[in-house]
């Protein structure tokens, strides 16, 4: 208590629920009046700080009235009539003066307040905080809760919108807290609550697969369980296979949470961070890029501010599907025609068809893609997804600085004795850029390590030649056999 905090986390990770519960528990102790209110309404005010103050005070009064508190705890009615720009702070002072308990305030969705309105509200909170030692009544503790760490907002005047600025009008924060993701044990504990309530179990493999796919992202953890138990109506013990089916269903229907994330992909700040991750290139390392990384991390799209990796496999797949949607519309081949008589997938034919597709559409698609440095990877992923995903699955691994994108095709089929089997085909993508050496030697070594990890004996290396002196588009698409450093025979496709 007696401290001001920032709590931030990506959307739908439980911030609001946690604050509402905490406010209720603190108030129940008897000496504190803890109130949570949403700042969402103030978004419409923009830079009109007077309107923002009115909207926030309306929200505060309604939250208090709906709390069921006795009259002596409620804020004054009417609020003090003072000059706009000081109304919010004066109202809090008057409330704290009248309230027989210490007041704690949780401002949820604080990042809905924008521009000059945010400057005004934060400045008033700071003034009230700093005046408390002199006897001014004011909330003993305030938590600002939102999507981003408040230090990353450029709320001072001047400069480029959205960039951080050290001249913050709210430099009184004791600590900035980020609501974390679930651990594997916490997912197991959460699902065990369902088991105790219904008797339906999650197998250990299912729990492990949920953690692998979500990396503990709270909304995804709950959405997968909901999809299986409510939408898919599974009543038996839940298996890893059903988790996989639920993941695919969530991605296909692009739930609101996923849609909110992908809507950000074409923001310049987000593209600047995500593009080198998909392309496997090294990003710029100037100060503004650090701000962009912090922003994308706060959105929940990447795992950490230092590790430039997509936050979890579900986001990784959604991201490439969204970026490749335009390419998929150009793919006219029938996916069923790539299934061999024995049920296996005809990968060699798919590669041959991709060469034809690349010659016809590659140049146009690269010019159209917003993510130009990652266009080759996006186009091939879209082609694979269109033809594989009907009966199989694609696993993709990529990160900034790796100079590659690894792909695993998993295709289930029925063996000659009626047993269920899974065909696995590994591919590695490399791009030959201007001024670089032929990436084939590095690619073969990297493919070797990938095949070691997958315990596969062969694979495919695809090299996209983006050099100005590369052969004309119509002449690209050569296949060759090559030997990896460990002696594996692999296929190399140059396009």
């Amino acid at each position: 208590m007696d401290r001001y905090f920032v709590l931030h986390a990506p959307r739908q990770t439980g911030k609001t629920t946690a604050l509402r519960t905490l406010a209720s528990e603190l108030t129940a102790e008897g000496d504190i009046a803890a109130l949570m209110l949403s700042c969402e309404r103030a978004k419409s005010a923009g830079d009109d700080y007077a309107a923002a103050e009115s909207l926030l005070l309306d929200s505060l009064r309604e939250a208090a009235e709906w709390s069921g508190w006795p009259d002596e705890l409620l804020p004054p009615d009417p609020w003090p009539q003072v000059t706009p720009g000081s109304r919010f702070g004066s109202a809090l002072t008057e409330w704290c003066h009248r309230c027989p308990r210490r007041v704690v305030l949780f401002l949820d969705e604080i990042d809905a307040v924008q521009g000059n309105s945010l400057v005004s509200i934060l400045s008033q909170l700071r003034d009230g905080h700093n005046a408390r030692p002199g006897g001014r009544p004011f909330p003993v503790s305030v938590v600002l809760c939102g999507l981003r760490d408040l230090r990353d907002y450029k709320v001072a005047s001047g400069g480029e919108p959205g960039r951080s600025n050290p001249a913050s009008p709210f430099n009184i924060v004791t600590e900035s807290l980020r609501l974390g993701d679930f651990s594997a044990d916490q997912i197991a504990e959460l699902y065990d609550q369902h088991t105790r309530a219904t008797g339906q179990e999650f197998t250990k493999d299912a729990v492990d697969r949920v953690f692998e796919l979500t990396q503990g992202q709270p909304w995804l953890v709950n959405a997968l369980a909901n999809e299986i138990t409510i939408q898919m109506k599974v009543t038996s013990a839940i298996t890893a296979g059903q988790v996989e089916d639920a993941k695919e269903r969530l991605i296909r229907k692009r739930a609101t949470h996923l849609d909110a994330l992908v809507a950000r992909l074409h923001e310049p700040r987000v593209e600047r961070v995500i593009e080198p991750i998909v392309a496997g290139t090294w990003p710029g390392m100037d100060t503004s890029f650090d701000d962009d990384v912090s922003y994308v991390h706060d959105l929940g799209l990447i795992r950490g501010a230092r590790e430039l990796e997509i936050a979890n496999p579900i986001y990784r797949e959604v991201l490439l599907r969204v970026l490749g949607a335009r390419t998929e519309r150009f793919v006219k081949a029938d996916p069923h025609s790539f299934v061999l008589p024995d049920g296996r997938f005809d990968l060699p034919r798919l590669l041959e068809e991709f060469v034809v597709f690349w010659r016809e559409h590659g140049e146009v698609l690269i010019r159209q893609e917003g993510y130009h440095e990652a266009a080759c990877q996006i186009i091939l992923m879209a082609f694979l997804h269109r033809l594989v995903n009907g009966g199989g699955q694609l696993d993709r691994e990529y990160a900034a600085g790796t100079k590659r994108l690894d792909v695993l095709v998993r295709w289930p089929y029925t063996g000659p004795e009626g047993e269920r089997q899974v065909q696995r085909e590994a591919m590695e993508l490399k791009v030959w850029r201007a001024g670089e050496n032929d990436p084939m030697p590095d690619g073969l070594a990297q493919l070797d390590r990938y095949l070691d990890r997958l315990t596969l004996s062969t694979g495919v290396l695809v090299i996209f030649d983006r050099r100005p002196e590369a052969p004309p588009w119509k002449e690209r698409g050569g296949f060759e056999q090559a030997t990896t450093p460990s002696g594996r025979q692999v296929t190399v496709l140059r396009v």
Side-chain angles (χ1 to χ4, degrees):
M1 216 48 64
D2 297 325
R3 298 289 187 271
Y4 284 25
F5 301 90
V6 168
L7 173 66
H8 66 103
R11 294 199 182 280
Q12 296 176 304
T13 53
K15 302 186 296 296
T16 300
T17 302
L19 288 182
R20 185 179 293 117
T21 301
L22 180 57
S24 177
E25 291 178 352
L26 288 174
T27 302
E29 292 179 1
D31 63 340
I32 292 173
L35 184 68
M36 189 199 79
L37 69 139
S38 172
C39 303
E40 188 71 28
R41 289 185 191 171
K43 184 174 184 177
S44 63
D47 283 322
D48 186 346
Y49 56 85
E53 286 179 311
S54 295
L55 291 168
L56 286 176
L57 291 175
D58 287 347
S59 295
L60 190 156
R61 186 184 304 284
E62 288 181 16
E65 291 173 348
W66 280 98
S67 68
W69 288 351
D71 290 345
E72 65 266 20
L73 299 185
L74 297 178
D77 188 8
W79 298 111
Q81 297 301 307
V82 296
T83 304
S86 60
R87 289 184 61 213
F88 189 71
S90 296
L92 294 181
T93 294
E94 182 65 20
W95 179 26
C96 293
H97 175 69
R98 297 188 184 193
C99 186
R101 298 187 185 184
R102 294 182 296 163
V103 172
V104 172
L105 191 61
F106 299 151
L107 295 173
D108 195 18
E109 301 287 350
I110 184 63
D111 33 18
V113 189
Q114 300 175 4
N116 290 333
S117 297
L118 183 58
V119 173
S120 176
I121 297 302
L122 296 184
S123 297
Q124 292 177 65
L125 288 173
R126 181 185 61 188
D127 289 345
H129 169 277
N130 292 340
R132 291 183 308 166
R136 177 181 175 182
F138 211 69
V140 295
S141 187
V142 172
V143 175
L144 304 179
C145 180
L147 183 67
R148 305 204 56 212
D149 190 339
L150 196 67
R151 70 171 183 267
D152 293 326
Y153 288 99
K154 187 156 197 173
V155 294
S157 60
E160 184 182 348
R163 298 294 186 194
S164 66
N165 190 315
S168 170
F170 199 71
N171 55 4
I172 55 175
V173 172
T174 299
E175 189 171 356
S176 178
L177 308 171
R178 189 177 193 273
L179 199 62
D181 296 326
F182 293 139
S183 67
D185 288 342
Q186 287 170 331
I187 294 174
E189 182 181 349
L190 178 67
Y191 286 176
D192 189 54
Q193 294 175 16
H194 172 80
T195 300
R196 291 197 301 269
T198 67
Q200 184 181 34
E201 295 184 355
F202 284 79
T203 65
K204 184 179 184 307
D205 286 346
V207 175
D208 290 345
R209 186 58 178 156
V210 168
F211 179 69
E212 182 183 354
L213 289 172
T214 67
Q215 293 298 298
Q217 204 285 333
W219 184 88
L220 292 175
V221 170
N222 284 284
L224 286 173
N226 180 76
E227 191 69 26
I228 295 168
T229 59
I230 305 300
Q231 304 302 323
M232 295 165 58
K233 295 181 170 58
V234 174
T235 56
S236 57
I238 294 167
T239 66
Q242 289 160 340
V243 170
E244 199 72 39
D245 292 341
K247 175 212 75 172
E248 192 59 36
R249 288 165 61 99
L250 279 182
I251 292 174
R252 277 202 306 268
K253 65 185 182 183
R254 287 267 293 279
T256 302
H257 171 82
L258 299 178
D259 244 5
L261 281 178
V262 301
R264 305 266 189 174
L265 289 179
H266 291 289
E267 291 183 15
R269 301 186 68 186
V270 175
E271 182 173 334
R272 192 176 176 212
V273 175
I274 298 298
E275 184 174 47
I277 295 177
V278 178
T281 56
W282 287 107
M285 291 299 178
D286 55 37
T287 303
S288 64
F289 182 78
D290 291 341
D291 290 342
D292 295 339
V293 169
S294 177
Y295 175 66
V296 176
H297 176 239
D298 284 346
L299 292 176
L301 279 169
I302 60 176
R303 184 168 298 167
R306 293 185 179 179
E307 306 92 358
L308 292 185
E309 297 181 38
I310 302 302
N312 57 66
I314 291 180
Y315 287 179
R316 201 158 57 211
E317 186 161 345
V318 168
L319 186 151
L320 279 177
R321 287 196 193 185
V322 170
L323 293 178
R326 183 185 300 139
T327 293
E328 278 199 55
R329 290 194 288 269
F330 283 79
V331 182
K332 305 302 182 184
D334 178 10
H336 297 95
S337 66
F338 292 85
V339 181
L340 296 167
D342 64 359
R344 293 170 60 85
F345 188 78
D346 192 347
L347 183 64
R349 185 182 161 216
L350 178 141
L351 295 173
E352 292 171 357
E353 289 288 335
F354 178 72
V355 169
V356 175
F357 178 84
W358 184 256
R359 287 172 176 169
E360 291 181 356
H361 305 293
E363 191 169 9
V364 172
L365 289 172
I366 279 184
R367 286 202 303 266
Q368 290 182 349
E369 288 294 339
Y371 283 60
H372 296 290
E373 288 298 307
C376 296
Q377 292 90 334
I378 292 170
I379 292 168
L380 179 54
M381 286 300 95
F383 188 85
L384 287 172
H385 177 259
R386 175 71 179 85
L387 299 180
V388 170
N389 211 58
Q393 294 172 335
L394 293 174
D395 297 333
R396 310 160 178 89
E397 297 181 17
Y398 51 92
T402 60
K403 296 187 177 181
R404 69 183 191 276
L405 187 155
D406 297 330
V407 184
L408 176 65
V409 177
R410 291 185 289 134
W411 185 268
Y413 69 101
T414 302
E417 304 299 324
E419 72 280 13
R420 181 179 174 83
Q421 297 189 19
V422 178
Q423 174 188 355
R424 296 186 302 153
E425 305 283 357
M427 302 173 62
E428 186 153 305
L429 283 61
K430 300 278 287 183
V431 178
W432 191 354
R433 304 183 190 279
E436 297 180 351
N437 296 324
D438 187 344
M440 182 169 165
D442 285 344
L444 291 174
Q446 290 166 343
L447 180 58
D448 230 354
R449 292 193 290 272
Y450 190 39
L451 295 173
D452 279 341
R453 184 151 53 90
L454 297 172
T455 64
L456 292 175
S457 59
T458 189
V460 177
L461 173 62
V462 180
I463 298 176
F464 290 92
D465 196 340
R466 294 295 304 276
R467 300 172 301 152
E469 65 270 24
W473 285 79
K474 299 296 184 182
E475 298 176 12
R476 302 185 199 181
F479 290 89
E480 60 184 285
Q481 295 300 306
T483 304
T484 68
S486 72
R488 289 183 175 94
Q489 295 298 306
V490 300
T491 299
V492 178
L493 169 60
R494 293 180 181 270
V495 288

